[in-house]
Amino acid sequence: MVSDDHPGLRKVIAEVLPESVWQRCYVHFLRNAIDYMPRNGDDDCLKELRWLYDRRDLAEARKDLAIWLKRWESKYPKLCSWVEDNIEETFSFYQLPMGHHKHMKSTNMLERLNEEIKRRTHIVRIFPNEASCLRLVRALCVETHENWIEAHRYLDMSLLREHKKQELMKLAV
């Protein structure tokens, strides 16, 4: 998953990893939605939109999206049109096991890593060369990766393996 802050990165990732799926952060999506509402807009509208990300599966989310669009399209046509055009990018996490939804629907994990890299590079302040900075960043990434896999278990990969088995069994039938 990649933060939405990097234009052009999506294209590069698609070229390098063609089987990857783009997941737009739902928090950033909801923040962007505010731009399509009047300043004195109804808070319930955005609350209901946010609730779509708590659904159990994609079919349920799409069904509730249709209800949401019907309810709000007369009051906020600009917002509803924008949501219709862009919301599918935020639903990619539904392809993963339910236990991964909480972590993969936002970019919190990446943003935390980026903040740690920023913090640690600011402590050093001056690097003798670009390679030394890159070594520090690599070491931080390796440390974080090991922590996610061994200590913290940010994602339980056994859920993903089981999910893939079930998907393959569906295809075999």
Side-chain angles (χ1 to χ4, degrees), residues 30-173:
L30 293 172
R31 283 186 203 147
N32 294 151
I34 294 169
D35 296 339
Y36 295 88
M37 291 185 68
R39 286 191 188 268
N40 58 353
D42 193 337
D43 287 341
D44 288 343
C45 177
L46 290 179
K47 281 181 191 172
E48 290 176 19
L49 183 60
R50 192 246 172 260
W51 292 339
L52 293 176
Y53 299 101
D54 295 332
R55 301 299 176 251
R56 296 185 61 76
D57 60 31
L58 185 57
E60 189 179 338
R62 284 187 176 143
K63 184 183 113 199
D64 288 346
L65 173 62
I67 294 168
W68 181 88
L69 287 167
K70 193 173 215 173
R71 177 173 179 187
W72 296 104
E73 67 188 346
S74 62
K75 191 169 183 179
Y76 304 118
K78 191 176 173 184
L79 170 67
C80 289
S81 174
W82 180 82
V83 166
E84 263 186 305
D85 292 342
N86 295 285
I87 198 162
E88 283 300 317
E89 296 178 333
T90 67
F91 284 166
S92 300
F93 72 94
Y94 282 115
Q95 296 174 25
L96 299 169
M98 184 121 176
H100 289 195
H101 290 186
K102 176 184 173 188
H103 299 295
M104 299 307 291
K105 65 185 176 183
S106 77
T107 55
N108 288 347
M109 161 168 103
L110 291 175
E111 289 172 8
R112 176 67 187 103
L113 175 60
N114 289 337
E115 284 298 314
E116 183 62 14
I117 290 170
K118 183 179 177 181
R119 184 184 76 77
R120 297 281 287 270
T121 54
H122 275 99
I123 288 172
V124 175
R125 294 173 55 116
I126 299 173
F127 290 92
N129 55 39
E130 191 176 313
S132 64
C133 180
L134 189 55
R135 279 192 300 275
L136 174 62
V137 171
R138 274 194 203 123
L140 288 171
C141 290
V142 167
E143 179 184 323
T144 302
H145 174 72
E146 288 172 355
N147 188 31
W148 286 346
I149 288 178
E150 296 169 5
H152 184 45
R153 283 283 178 184
Y154 194 79
L155 294 174
D156 183 357
M157 296 312 284
S158 65
L159 292 174
L160 185 61
R161 283 189 290 277
E162 186 60 34
H163 180 75
K164 284 183 176 182
K165 281 181 192 175
Q166 290 175 2
E167 293 296 315
L168 287 172
M169 291 174 74
K170 286 179 189 176
L171 292 173
V173 174

